[in-house]
């Protein structure tokens, strides 16, 4: 799909399930682009974003007392 007036391409992503903390993100043709997984422990939660090669490309540590920590590769 493209936006004829500006020449920009429109990208459609699907989240399955519709939960940004635990989801698989696919392209319009069904290709898996990313997977988001959140794991919980007693003191913290960690959300990791994996690319299509199953490599971690980003991580968010949800910490109660200390500030949250974001890591991006």
């Amino acid at each position: 799909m493209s936006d004829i007036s500006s020449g920009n391409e429109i990208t459609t992503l699907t989240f399955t399930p519709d939960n940004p903390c635990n989801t698989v993100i696919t392209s319009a043709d069904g290709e898996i682009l990313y997977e988001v997984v959140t794991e919980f422990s007693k003191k913290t939660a960690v959300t990791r974003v994996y690319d299509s090669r199953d490599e971690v490309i980003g991580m968010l540590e949800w910490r109660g007392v200390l500030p949250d920590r974001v890591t991006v590769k």
Side-chain angles (χ1 to χ4, degrees), residues 2-73:
S2 63
D3 181 0
I4 296 172
S5 62
S6 66
N8 294 329
E9 186 174 322
I10 297 172
T11 301
T12 301
L13 301 175
T14 303
F15 290 63
T16 308
D18 186 13
N19 174 352
C21 291
N22 288 296
T23 191
V24 175
I25 303 170
T26 56
S27 65
D29 63 358
E31 176 186 1
I32 295 175
L33 303 174
Y34 305 100
E35 182 175 4
V36 181
V37 177
T38 302
E39 298 171 334
F40 298 91
S41 69
K42 290 182 181 183
K43 295 184 179 183
T44 187
V46 177
T47 300
R48 291 182 178 84
V49 180
Y50 298 87
D51 65 10
S52 60
R53 295 181 309 265
D54 229 13
E55 295 181 21
V56 176
I57 61 169
M59 183 171 63
L60 172 58
E61 293 178 70
W62 306 79
R63 304 187 298 179
V65 177
L66 298 171
D68 296 339
R69 185 181 327 182
V70 176
T71 305
V72 179
K73 291 187 176 187

